[in-house]
């Protein structure tokens, strides 16, 4: 098992992708577990590139299974980090973070807007997902909104990367695939907003 420093060195030398594929192939006797664990671990070690693990899953497992394993791992990791930070949020270190001006500003913004910005941030593969999970956990954003954004947003992001990884050579020359990805993002956005409104209505009824 390589150390964190060795993994970072592999990433810096552009060797992490090949290493991930070799490990997934070597551990195929464990079924989907390695493909799920790699994206999950990335949620706790953000210096590791999620994109590499997702593409490696697509190459080894194929489009559907690669997407499914990466999505389960990445979503589970994000939710675990969020819940952990929410539980430990009153520790001294996190109290210091809460008082930081920029962190406080983002926390207020997330609390005011809820699902929308969380969903959009989680859709993009290069957004700082670790920071999003931590700040969301420290904020007063509803757990329901975070779970919804993580499940839907991560699915859009993971599907987009898996789709590219599964057919990386033909993606740029086939505009239909780009359109499919954009349509999926739009559909998930509309579905998310619909579910958010339904949940908000139910919450209001319970209060009333």
């Amino acid at each position: 098992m390589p150390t964190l420093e060795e993994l970072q060195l592999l990433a810096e030398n552009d060797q992490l992708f090949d290493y991930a594929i070799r490990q997934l192939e070597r551990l195929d006797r464990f079924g989907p577990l390695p493909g799920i664990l790699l994206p999950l671990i990335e949620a706790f070690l953000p210096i590791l590139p999620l994109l590499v693990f997702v593409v490696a899953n697509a190459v080894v497992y194929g489009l559907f299974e690669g997407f499914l394993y990466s999505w389960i791992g990445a979503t589970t990791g994000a939710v675990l980090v969020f819940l952990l930070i929410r539980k430990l949020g009153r520790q001294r270190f996190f109290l210091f973070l809460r008082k930081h001006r920029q962190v406080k500003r983002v926390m207020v913004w997330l609390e005011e807007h809820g699902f929308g910005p969380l969903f959009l941030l989680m859709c993009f593969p290069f957004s700082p997902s670790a920071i999003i999970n931590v700040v969301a956990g420290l904020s007063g954003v509803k757990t329901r909104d975070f779970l919804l954004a993580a499940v839907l947003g991560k699915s859009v992001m993971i599907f987009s990367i898996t789709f590219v990884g599964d057919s990386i050579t033909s993606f740029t020359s086939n505009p239909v695939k780009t359109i499919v990805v954009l349509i999926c993002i739009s559909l998930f956005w509309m579905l998310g907003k619909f579910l958010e409104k339904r949940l908000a209505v139910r919450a209001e009824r319970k209060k009333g």
Side-chain angles (χ1 to χ4, degrees):
M1 186 71 182
T3 63
L4 190 58
E5 290 77 11
E6 289 171 339
L7 288 173
Q8 192 171 2
L9 187 61
L10 286 170
E12 291 173 357
N13 295 328
D14 297 323
Q15 297 175 347
L16 186 59
F17 178 65
D18 293 332
Y19 175 80
I21 289 179
R22 288 197 304 271
Q23 295 305 308
L24 288 172
E25 290 174 342
R26 187 174 67 86
L27 299 171
D28 63 344
R29 64 184 180 279
F30 294 105
L33 193 58
I36 293 172
L37 285 178
L38 282 179
L40 192 154
I41 291 170
E42 185 276 339
F44 291 89
L45 300 173
I47 63 169
L48 299 177
L50 177 63
L51 187 143
V52 168
F53 297 147
V54 175
V55 174
N57 274 348
V59 171
V60 174
Y61 299 110
L63 177 62
F64 177 73
E65 290 183 352
F67 158 73
L68 185 63
Y69 301 159
S70 296
W71 174 66
I72 292 173
T75 304
T76 303
V79 171
L80 288 176
V81 170
F82 171 81
L83 294 176
L84 184 64
I85 297 300
R86 179 139 294 186
K87 187 174 181 62
L88 301 176
R90 297 194 179 279
Q91 299 294 325
R92 182 177 298 177
F93 173 73
F94 293 110
L95 288 175
F96 168 76
L97 275 181
R98 283 174 181 270
K99 294 177 182 177
H100 192 279
R101 187 173 62 180
Q102 289 183 330
V103 173
K104 200 170 184 178
R105 188 181 302 169
V106 176
M107 286 169 56
V108 171
W109 184 64
L110 288 177
E111 289 167 3
E112 289 177 351
H113 296 87
F115 167 83
L118 281 172
F119 171 79
L120 284 176
L121 287 169
M122 290 185 183
C123 279
F124 297 103
F126 299 107
S127 61
S129 57
I131 297 175
I132 296 167
N133 299 335
V134 171
V135 174
L138 291 173
S139 73
V141 68
K142 295 178 181 177
T143 302
R144 177 201 69 198
D145 288 344
F146 182 87
L147 292 176
L148 186 63
V151 169
L152 296 180
K154 291 288 184 185
S155 64
V156 172
M157 185 260 285
I158 298 296
F159 174 76
S160 303
I161 300 173
T162 306
F163 201 70
V164 176
D166 185 57
S167 53
I168 198 164
T169 54
S170 63
F171 184 78
T172 53
S173 59
N174 191 346
V176 174
K177 292 186 176 182
T178 307
I179 294 171
V180 168
V181 172
L182 292 175
I183 290 174
C184 287
I185 292 174
S186 300
L187 288 174
F188 273 109
W189 167 257
M190 290 187 288
L191 177 62
K193 294 304 290 183
F194 171 75
L195 291 174
E196 183 189 15
K197 288 179 181 177
R198 288 289 299 272
L199 291 170
V201 169
R202 286 184 182 180
E204 286 297 324
R205 286 176 180 172
K206 287 181 179 179
K207 289 180 181 178

